Amino acid sequence: MKNKHTFTIQKLGILILSLGLMTSCNSKKKAEKDNKTTDTEHHQNKSIKGATYGDDVRFMKYYIELIELTDANHQSKVAVTAALQGRVMTSSAFGDEGRSYGWINRELFESKEIQEHINVYGGEERFWLGPEGGQYSIFFKKGAEFTLEDWYTPKLIDLEPFDVKNVSATSATFTKKASLKNYSGFQFDMEIEREVAILSKDDIQTDLGLQTLSENLKTVAYQTTNTLTNIGKKEWKKDSGLLSIWLLGMFNHSPNTTIVIPYVQGDDAELGKVVNDTYFGKVPSDRLVVKENAIFFKGDGEYRSKIGLSPMRAKNIAGSYDSANGILTIVKYNKPKNVTDYVNSMWEIQEEPFSGDVINAYNDGAPEPGAKPLGPFYELETSSPALALKPGESGTHIQTTYHIEGNETTLNPMVKELFGVTINEIKTAFK
């Protein structure tokens, strides 16, 4: 990637010439006031472990152009880039000095190297397409083995930029026309449109269905509307493979982060198993716990593992809680009723290619002893149904990501209402 300096930093220098005692005293008082402000800002930065939003944005601007969305108070901020498919790179609930919620792979940016299989730049919501594995995969060429050596992320969703359609203070829309062939040789001719819009605090309260939202909470949220249109001459059918819209968010891991996913309760014989925990081998019981109301999965970046929920078990919400920093992350999406066909991303020739998962969570870690992890980070993911589209038809997947920071007492009623568990249950899930 080429270095790009997208903004000019303006520096204002103020020279005060003191001609008398009064002016000198005023200058001294002003200097003391400025020093106090600087100390406060330093304390705020020092209290945040890891990069602030401002830190990450300044870093990324050397490598890619960013579009920054903000609310009316300029406290909620979202950084988006067309260079990486309209990707949400990071966000903040407290302006430039706030915590940076997205995981950013600084090492890869700095190297300026293009990787062969995937370029993991990070970002807290990226646009992908599925399926990843199987006879209708778009990550494996026809006849390839389902191994890491033969797995390639399509350039469309890895390195290619999207076009900017329009931008305002609170939203940005991106488009892209492209073609992809799947493992079975079918070509999809498509147009993608992706809108990213920041939400106000009132919007957050309404969308989450909350009676109140305390002013003591720091909040940021954004909604993405992702539309895929068949612009080709052929109908997209099951017997030649279908696509799904797949949204994945990379977030900063910590030893105190637990992923929480409520699920539809019921008999396994009717609804199927609660969770698919065999993507990269079975997840150990000290990392995945299924309780009465929710699934608990570690987001510590220490063990490579992935889980998924089928459309019969998934609700329209997933999230995580960092107990050390009081960070509640929520992901909601538009789950259609009575739809069960989702693409299957397992790395094998599949007997049931449309029995895939709708919600996934991934915890990064070393793929084998002694190897380097991708991040580490953790991910929350949602998918649209398999899209059987005639020429000219479209399918849309909407996802909203919320970050809410506050103390446990203030957050607990919200967690209980949205996830059906208490913060204490999250904190003690693995004890």
Side-chain angles (χ1 to χ4, degrees):
M1 289 188 169
K2 296 179 180 179
N3 287 2
K4 294 185 178 181
H5 298 268
T6 54
F7 288 84
T8 302
I9 302 176
Q10 297 180 339
K11 296 182 178 179
L12 298 177
I14 301 175
L15 179 62
I16 301 176
L17 299 177
S18 301
L19 299 177
L21 180 61
M22 185 65 71
T23 306
S24 298
C25 291
N26 288 342
S27 297
K28 184 177 179 181
K29 290 178 181 178
K30 182 180 186 300
E32 290 173 350
K33 181 180 178 181
D34 287 347
N35 285 338
K36 289 179 181 178
T37 302
T38 302
D39 290 343
T40 302
E41 290 174 352
H42 176 72
H43 176 72
Q44 288 173 343
N45 282 336
K46 192 174 180 181
S47 68
I48 294 178
K49 293 182 179 179
T52 65
Y53 172 86
D55 292 334
D56 274 346
V57 165
R58 283 188 292 272
F59 170 82
M60 286 187 287
K61 283 178 179 178
Y62 281 99
Y63 304 96
I64 55 175
E65 293 183 2
L66 292 176
I67 297 169
E68 292 191 72
L69 310 178
T70 184
D71 67 352
N73 295 323
H74 299 282
Q75 291 299 298
S76 298
K77 290 192 170 187
V78 177
V80 192
T81 181
L84 295 171
Q85 308 86 47
R87 187 175 308 187
V88 176
M89 298 305 296
T90 192
S91 62
S92 169
F94 193 58
D96 287 349
E97 300 302 319
R99 203 179 307 274
S100 181
Y101 295 118
W103 177 77
I104 307 300
N105 191 345
R106 292 190 173 214
E107 183 180 348
L108 183 58
F109 274 114
E110 290 172 336
S111 75
K112 302 179 187 177
E113 295 177 355
I114 300 301
Q115 306 298 307
E116 183 180 8
H117 295 275
I118 183 174
N119 290 271
V120 186
Y121 289 107
E124 64 168 281
E125 192 197 279
R126 71 184 185 274
F127 178 94
W128 262 21
L129 296 167
E132 184 179 1
Q135 56 267 44
Y136 303 130
S137 168
I138 57 171
F139 288 73
F140 292 91
K141 293 181 179 179
K142 188 172 184 177
E145 297 291 326
F146 293 110
T147 63
L148 195 57
E149 290 74 21
D150 284 348
W151 176 84
Y152 294 90
T153 308
K155 292 293 187 289
L156 169 65
I157 53 175
D158 189 37
L159 290 171
E160 292 186 11
F162 280 15
D163 299 318
V164 179
K165 184 177 181 180
N166 53 59
V167 177
S168 71
T170 57
S171 69
T173 304
F174 309 90
T175 60
K176 183 75 172 181
K177 290 183 179 180
S179 297
L180 283 177
K181 275 190 178 181
N182 67 13
Y183 185 93
S184 295
F186 183 81
Q187 179 169 307
F188 298 92
D189 298 314
M190 70 192 80
E191 182 171 18
I192 300 161
E193 181 167 298
R194 172 172 164 81
E195 180 193 43
V196 183
I198 196 167
L199 304 185
S200 68
K201 201 158 191 173
D202 288 343
D203 292 334
I204 294 171
Q205 182 178 335
T206 300
D207 285 1
L208 292 177
L210 302 172
Q211 293 297 317
T212 59
L213 189 59
S214 172
E215 289 299 320
N216 295 326
L217 295 171
K218 298 174 185 176
T219 63
V220 62
Y222 56 88
Q223 184 174 89
T224 70
T225 304
N226 307 271
T227 301
L228 189 64
T229 302
N230 179 356
I231 61 171
K233 297 180 180 179
K234 295 181 179 179
E235 185 176 350
W236 299 357
K237 299 179 179 180
K238 277 188 172 183
D239 59 8
S240 54
L242 300 176
L243 297 176
S244 70
I245 298 167
W246 185 9
L247 303 179
L248 307 90
M250 290 180 170
F251 304 105
N252 295 304
H253 71 288
S254 85
N256 307 292
T257 296
T258 301
I259 296 164
V260 187
I261 308 177
Y263 64 93
V264 176
Q265 298 180 35
D267 191 352
D268 286 8
E270 180 183 355
L271 300 178
K273 60 184 178 181
V274 172
V275 59
N276 175 6
D277 62 352
T278 59
Y279 276 92
F280 303 125
K282 189 169 180 62
V283 182
S285 59
D286 63 341
R287 299 197 146 270
L288 174 67
V289 175
V290 179
K291 296 196 175 182
E292 184 179 0
N293 292 324
I295 297 162
F296 302 92
F297 181 49
K298 286 189 177 180
D300 59 2
E302 294 290 336
Y303 187 91
R304 184 172 181 257
S305 46
K306 182 174 180 176
I307 62 171
L309 275 72
S310 74
M312 300 295 288
R313 288 292 190 177
K315 294 187 176 183
N316 68 340
I317 189 171
S320 64
Y321 181 65
D322 177 348
S323 60
N325 295 301
I327 304 170
L328 176 65
T329 295
I330 305 164
V331 172
K332 292 189 73 176
Y333 67 103
N334 63 322
K335 183 176 184 286
K337 294 181 179 179
N338 304 317
V339 176
T340 57
D341 284 342
Y342 285 78
V343 301
N344 189 340
S345 282
M346 298 295 285
W347 288 19
E348 61 190 14
I349 298 298
Q350 303 155 355
E351 293 183 4
E352 298 179 294
F354 300 103
S355 62
D357 295 325
V358 56
I359 290 178
N360 291 101
Y362 171 77
N363 185 45
D364 194 37
E368 57 187 36
K372 186 178 179 180
L374 289 173
F377 50 83
Y378 75 94
E379 286 185 322
L380 297 173
E381 314 169 7
T382 72
S383 294
S384 75
L387 299 173
L389 302 176
K390 295 177 180 178
E393 289 185 339
S394 301
T396 298
H397 186 60
I398 301 170
Q399 178 174 288
T400 310
T401 302
Y402 314 78
H403 299 291
I404 304 174
E405 275 193 60
N407 63 53
E408 190 172 316
T409 302
T410 307
L411 286 173
N412 193 57
M414 182 189 311
V415 172
K416 179 68 175 175
E417 185 174 348
L418 296 174
F419 294 93
V421 297
T422 64
I423 286 180
N424 187 59
E425 287 177 279
I426 298 173
K427 291 167 62 176
T428 60
F430 298 100
K431 295 180 180 180

